[in-house]
Amino acid sequence: MSRNVEQVRKQSRAPLGAPYWTLWTSTGLSNLADGVFKIALPLLAIQFTQSPTLIAGLAVAASLPWLLFALTAGALADRLDRRQLMLAANLTRSALLAVLTAIILLDLGALWALYVIALLVGVTETLYDTSAQSIMPQIVQRDQLSRANGRLYAVELTANQFVGPPLGGLLVAASVALGFAVPTALWLLAVGALFLVPGSFRIEREQKTTLRFDIAEGLRFLWNQKILRTLAVMTGVFNFAASAAFAVFVLFAVGPASVMGLSEVGFGVLLTASALGAFAGSFISEWAESRLGRSRSLALTIAGGALFVGAPAITDNPYVLGGIFFVGGMLIMLWNVITVSLRQRIAPNRLLGRVNSAYRLLAWGTMPLGAATGGLLAHWFGLQVMFGIMGLLTVALLGLMPLLTDKAIDAADVES
């Protein structure tokens, strides 16, 4: 039995504590806002254009900050109070959506305005998400991380993908402005909950350094950790494929001229299938990690991820796709819980913000590239061919699994 299996089975079942559950509440509200916004934005965009390239460009704008700003966000998370950064990010997101709501109400909307808002919201997302992942070891004990991350992902995915998408579809169907006014209010509520988390979450620094030095230190740490480096690359490839597929999935699914012919509400409901799977996965991840081991669990998630991305290439049946999205969401959640908890255990707390951001530069910086590629491939070869290509690309990740044996993963965990 591996060291990790024994450790997981003997994890402390002590309560996660009031600060954790307050953070959990704030995270749920913030992700509900995000879920509504990310559905409302493309539904508004297709009122301006049916071009796959232009629709994909919106996803490029939203994810581009992970390529351009992630490293700076990580350095700031290790320099400043992580809770304060999360508060500032959500306040800024609320202000941006309030402006967009006003633009819609005054009938001043245009596609360029959606690009600008998507880009700026993406910048705040890099600050919020990097700080949120980095703050966790300051909230709970090391041996509680898998459980704490699983519960946090449960509310994140439930709000972001289960409740958010159908709610966003309903709001846009009733009034486009409501689709942006509601997340504005939700982000403000999330700020109120986060204010109730007690304590300081600023890491004490032994000496003054430049921002450039801090960023380089985080990059070196990630590069020298073979397990984390491999996981970052694999996540980046999968996110490239998933972004390519889902940047233009709305064109495949929504409207009478689309392949599936769904309404806006039906589109939101379909996407909740993956959220339901992720919700289930958040509760079985700790069990799967202990029973299957981390290596087998990760291999299983790659197979599920390939099906998740490539399924629209072989079927347009909403019920079949819903089932596939459910399984895919469950397995992707398993990947997230294992890899995030491992990163939080391996990286020292003083470096965690920078390691998280360096990891996400590789893992999430590929998303705008994927979205752009998906739009171009869909334009040249058609949507279903593009889905098939991305499914095959995800399957190819199994070739890196020999680097991620349980022995190698446990050794990296012991060294931390």
Side-chain angles (χ1 to χ4, degrees):
M1 182 182 294
S2 71
R3 170 190 174 276
N4 181 66
V5 171
E6 288 187 32
Q7 178 178 328
V8 170
R9 289 182 178 177
K10 294 178 180 178
Q11 274 186 322
S12 169
R13 305 305 299 181
L16 294 171
Y20 170 81
W21 290 110
T22 306
L23 175 66
W24 182 91
T25 301
S26 177
T27 298
L29 291 167
S30 183
N31 276 272
L32 180 57
D34 196 43
V36 172
F37 170 69
K38 288 184 176 178
I39 287 296
L41 197 65
L43 290 177
L44 175 58
I46 61 175
Q47 296 182 18
F48 294 105
T49 180
Q50 288 289 310
S51 165
T53 304
L54 292 176
I55 294 296
L58 200 60
V60 172
S63 54
L64 190 61
W66 285 106
L67 188 61
L68 302 179
F69 192 66
L71 295 178
T72 302
L76 292 174
D78 286 343
R79 282 172 169 257
L80 306 175
D81 187 297
R82 290 163 177 170
R83 185 179 68 103
Q84 297 294 336
L85 281 175
M86 294 166 68
L87 289 169
N90 272 353
L91 285 171
T92 303
R93 286 196 274 198
S94 294
L96 288 169
L97 261 66
V99 169
L100 181 56
T101 303
I103 288 174
I104 294 168
L105 290 173
L106 295 172
D107 199 22
L108 300 175
L111 192 60
W112 68 265
L114 303 189
Y115 272 74
V116 171
I117 294 294
L119 179 67
L120 295 176
V121 169
V123 171
T124 65
E125 185 179 41
T126 64
L127 282 170
Y128 183 91
D129 286 2
T130 300
S131 300
Q133 282 199 350
S134 303
I135 204 174
M136 187 58 68
Q138 296 170 279
I139 297 286
V140 301
Q141 298 298 315
R142 175 188 172 94
D143 61 0
Q144 296 176 315
L145 283 171
S146 289
R147 179 156 50 103
N149 283 319
R151 301 299 181 269
L152 198 68
Y153 274 128
V155 72
E156 284 183 4
L157 269 295
T158 299
N160 198 304
Q161 297 184 29
F162 177 43
V163 180
L167 178 59
L170 286 169
L171 290 171
V172 171
S175 166
V176 174
L178 272 178
F180 301 99
V182 169
T184 300
L186 288 170
W187 268 318
L188 288 175
L189 289 173
V191 166
L194 193 57
F195 264 119
L196 301 177
V197 177
S200 171
F201 298 94
R202 184 170 187 165
I203 303 299
E204 293 297 327
R205 298 169 61 84
E206 296 179 357
Q207 58 184 5
K208 290 185 178 180
T209 56
T210 64
L211 201 64
R212 182 177 180 180
F213 177 89
D214 288 351
I215 291 171
E217 188 178 16
L219 286 169
R220 282 195 302 271
F221 184 90
L222 178 65
W223 183 255
N224 291 329
Q225 287 285 341
K226 185 175 71 172
I227 295 297
L228 294 184
R229 185 177 72 237
T230 303
L231 289 171
V233 170
M234 294 173 75
T235 306
V237 173
F238 174 74
N239 283 340
F240 177 92
S243 293
F246 287 98
V248 292
F249 185 66
V250 65
L251 296 175
F252 180 78
V254 178
S258 70
V259 175
M260 297 184 71
L262 298 178
S263 67
E264 289 89 346
V265 175
F267 177 63
V269 171
L270 175 62
L271 294 184
T272 63
S274 62
L276 282 170
F279 181 79
S282 68
F283 289 98
I284 69 166
S285 294
E286 188 178 0
W287 174 87
E289 182 181 343
S290 65
R291 295 299 187 274
L292 300 178
R294 287 182 280 197
S295 182
R296 288 181 183 175
S297 296
L298 293 174
L300 184 62
T301 66
I302 293 171
L307 190 60
F308 180 76
V309 169
I314 56 177
T315 181
D316 59 10
N317 186 304
Y319 300 102
V320 174
L321 282 176
I324 291 171
F325 286 179
F326 177 87
V327 174
M330 183 169 59
L331 294 175
I332 291 169
M333 175 58 67
L334 177 59
W335 174 281
N336 286 339
V337 170
I338 291 174
T339 58
V340 170
S341 300
L342 184 63
R343 191 161 74 244
Q344 290 169 342
R345 284 194 290 263
I346 290 177
N349 197 27
R350 70 176 188 86
L351 282 172
L352 188 53
R354 283 166 283 170
V355 172
N356 278 333
S357 65
Y359 185 100
R360 286 192 165 193
L361 176 66
L362 294 174
W364 289 31
T366 58
M367 293 194 298
L369 304 177
T373 302
L376 291 173
L377 290 177
H379 177 74
W380 292 332
F381 304 112
L383 288 165
Q384 289 183 287
V385 171
M386 182 273 296
F387 293 135
I389 291 171
M390 295 306 153
L392 292 174
L393 178 62
T394 305
V395 169
L397 290 174
L398 291 171
L400 293 177
M401 282 308 301
L403 299 176
L404 298 176
T405 62
D406 280 325
K407 182 178 180 181
I409 294 173
D410 290 347
D413 205 346
V414 168
E415 289 174 3
S416 58

